[in-house]
Amino acid sequence: GASAPASMRRRAKGGSTRRGKPPKVSVSDGIGCVPSEPRNFVADAGPGCVIAHSVNVPWALGSELIDLRDYDRGAVFPDLAVDPESGTLSVVNATGKQRVAYITVYDHPVLKKDGTAHTQGRTVSSEGVERACVTFILLLPPRAILHAATLTDPTSEIDSDVQDWSEHPTPEDTHTKLMRFPLKGGPYLCTQGENGHLTHFFAGNTHAIDFRCPVGTDLLAVADARVVTVKDDETCSGIATANLFKWNSVMLKILTDGGDFCDEIDDGATPSTTPSTPSTIATGTKKNPPLKKGEKQHRRGGNLFVEYVHVNAGSVCVSVGDFVKAGTKICESGSVGFSPEPHLHFTAFRSDNTSAATTRVRFFGNDGCGNTNNTSGVTKNKEGTKCTFLPTAGRWYDATGEVPGPGA
């Protein structure tokens, strides 16, 4: 039978519940059902990452269901196993819950079912050591085994983290505060949006938005805010599973028009002449029709925290406790932590608790609506003078909203 080599480094049991990695999950795709294409994710934004949200994927060697009646009572199942002769890498979920597995295979080629090699990515440790690797990001149904790949060297070093999936408790939760665009200049390609296939499919990341941007891009305060946390001393980068536990970030607590730490601004509000102070538009008018039944409970104000992740080491120009005005520079973008390529990972929460689930926030265009023909979740008022937008993977954005990409 399959066995794990002694050289395997395991990080599979227990684990942190820190934001930036999945603490738990529930799969909508189901066993044997595979999305026809990546969901809200630009595939080339994850070099070296192999993603599966089911066990029926064409590149895998095969899969099987676990019938506990076939095993001794009290049998213990490993999360991973490598057959020392064939090199088959098997990923096991013997629990009754859906689970997420991050598995990094270092240095040596990893083969698909057809014998071709998965594209390798790279990772750089905090000590500056660069290595080639392949990282599997797997969402496994209950009591299933995925025979994921063949290791060309069965003793390859492996790093893994396996945990229960955490489904977002209120995936339609939307904060009513409107945000300015977080990057200076542009336009920038959104590479992963809400429920994105790569890493935005669990509670702590569901509403996150990723923008591809060069290292050193100025990141701006999306609203008047107070700086809550700052971390910019990490330097690791790439797709190693161990990087899930290391990152740089800045978190802001958003202020309201009156300077309080809560807000009640409607989703369709038109920004005033001062971009940092959107005005309120009452519901029930032609300009902003009443919310549909069941929709109102998902749109509310209250405390709001926003976080900028993967920021460049040593780039933060604010300190904890500082008050920042909307549009001012707070740090620079980078590629630190679990980051396949340089990008900004932007997300919002109703709490600064490290296990908090995300909330949706929308952005407003500060100069009309960019490309007014766009279809990326734009909502405009009747006059068409302002819009809000929710970035979608594969589309380009700047401070005006969705715009044509370079060369369009």
Side-chain angles (χ1 to χ4, degrees):
S3 61
S7 62
M8 181 180 292
R9 293 193 294 122
R10 303 293 306 288
R11 298 181 186 270
K13 297 297 183 181
S16 167
T17 58
R18 298 174 68 187
R19 188 176 299 130
K21 58 181 294 299
K24 336 178 251 179
V25 229
S26 118
V27 189
S28 57
D29 297 322
I31 189 166
C33 180
V34 185
S36 58
E37 58 185 33
R39 178 178 59 244
N40 212 359
F41 170 62
V42 175
D44 68 5
C49 295
V50 182
I51 310 166
H53 288 200
S54 76
V55 295
N56 183 19
V57 283
W59 43 260
L61 308 183
S63 63
E64 57 187 287
L65 296 177
I66 296 174
D67 187 338
L68 295 179
R69 295 172 297 183
D70 295 337
Y71 298 86
D72 295 335
R73 184 182 298 273
V76 177
F77 294 85
D79 293 324
L80 306 178
V82 177
D83 189 299
E85 296 180 0
S86 68
T88 298
L89 169 65
S90 299
V91 189
V92 182
N93 178 12
T95 75
K97 301 178 180 180
Q98 293 162 353
R99 307 202 84 193
V100 178
Y102 280 73
I103 305 158
T104 300
V105 183
Y106 292 95
D107 303 327
H108 303 286
V110 180
L111 304 183
K112 306 174 189 177
K113 181 179 182 179
D114 64 5
T116 61
H118 283 289
T119 300
Q120 289 183 310
R122 58 182 285 278
T123 194
V124 180
S125 70
S126 300
E127 294 73 34
V129 178
E130 182 172 351
R131 303 174 71 177
C133 60
V134 170
T135 293
F136 292 90
I137 303 173
L138 309 175
L139 187 52
L140 298 177
R143 298 194 174 91
I145 300 174
L146 176 65
H147 303 297
T150 300
L151 306 187
T152 55
D153 182 347
T155 65
S156 296
E157 183 179 349
I158 297 176
D159 199 6
S160 65
D161 185 78
V162 183
Q163 299 193 25
D164 293 345
W165 182 54
S166 64
E167 185 173 14
H168 199 292
T170 53
E172 295 304 317
D173 180 45
T174 304
H175 200 284
T176 52
K177 179 74 173 180
L178 297 174
M179 302 285 101
R180 289 174 58 120
F181 195 65
L183 298 103
K184 182 178 179 179
Y188 300 98
L189 178 67
C190 175
T191 54
Q192 188 175 193
E194 288 189 356
N195 298 297
H197 213 58
L198 180 70
T199 55
H200 295 180
F201 56 88
F202 55 93
N205 262 1
T206 297
H207 300 100
I209 305 292
D210 290 350
F211 296 100
R212 177 181 289 165
C213 53
V215 171
T217 301
D218 287 353
L219 302 183
L220 312 177
V222 291
D224 293 349
R226 190 80 65 186
V227 180
V228 177
T229 61
V230 167
K231 187 180 188 307
D232 71 343
D233 58 353
E234 185 56 69
T235 58
C236 69
S237 182
I239 61 171
T241 295
N243 292 358
L244 291 167
F245 303 89
K246 304 173 184 178
W247 64 90
N248 289 338
S249 65
V250 176
M251 177 176 279
L252 306 179
K253 188 171 187 180
I254 303 302
L255 277 70
T256 60
D257 299 347
D260 298 323
F261 288 108
C262 60
D263 196 8
E264 298 298 339
I265 297 174
D266 279 323
D267 189 19
T270 301
S272 68
T273 55
T274 304
S276 61
T277 57
S279 59
T280 301
I281 299 177
T283 58
T285 66
K286 290 183 179 180
K287 183 179 291 187
N288 192 23
L291 299 175
K292 297 178 181 179
K293 183 178 181 181
E295 186 177 14
K296 187 174 182 179
Q297 63 182 345
H298 299 304
R299 297 188 182 184
R300 58 188 176 90
N303 286 342
L304 180 63
F305 298 81
V306 297
E307 189 171 28
Y308 305 70
V309 182
H310 307 304
V311 304
N312 209 20
S315 73
V316 177
C317 48
V318 295
S319 300
V320 172
D322 285 354
F323 172 80
V324 294
K325 293 291 292 181
T328 58
K329 177 180 175 179
I330 58 172
C331 59
E332 296 175 0
S333 68
S335 191
V336 176
F338 188 88
S339 179
E341 66 172 12
H343 71 286
L344 167 65
H345 174 95
F346 179 86
T347 191
F349 305 88
R350 293 186 177 276
S351 165
D352 61 349
N353 188 298
T354 55
S355 61
T358 59
T359 184
R360 175 185 296 128
V361 291
R362 297 181 67 87
F363 301 90
F364 67 85
N366 63 12
D367 182 23
C369 195
N371 173 16
T372 55
N373 295 318
N374 71 64
T375 57
S376 59
V378 169
T379 58
K380 294 192 295 182
N381 62 22
K382 286 288 184 178
E383 291 75 16
T385 58
K386 287 291 181 183
C387 74
T388 68
F389 58 98
L390 183 64
T392 301
R395 300 179 183 273
W396 295 80
Y397 299 88
D398 64 14
T400 68
E402 185 186 349
V403 295

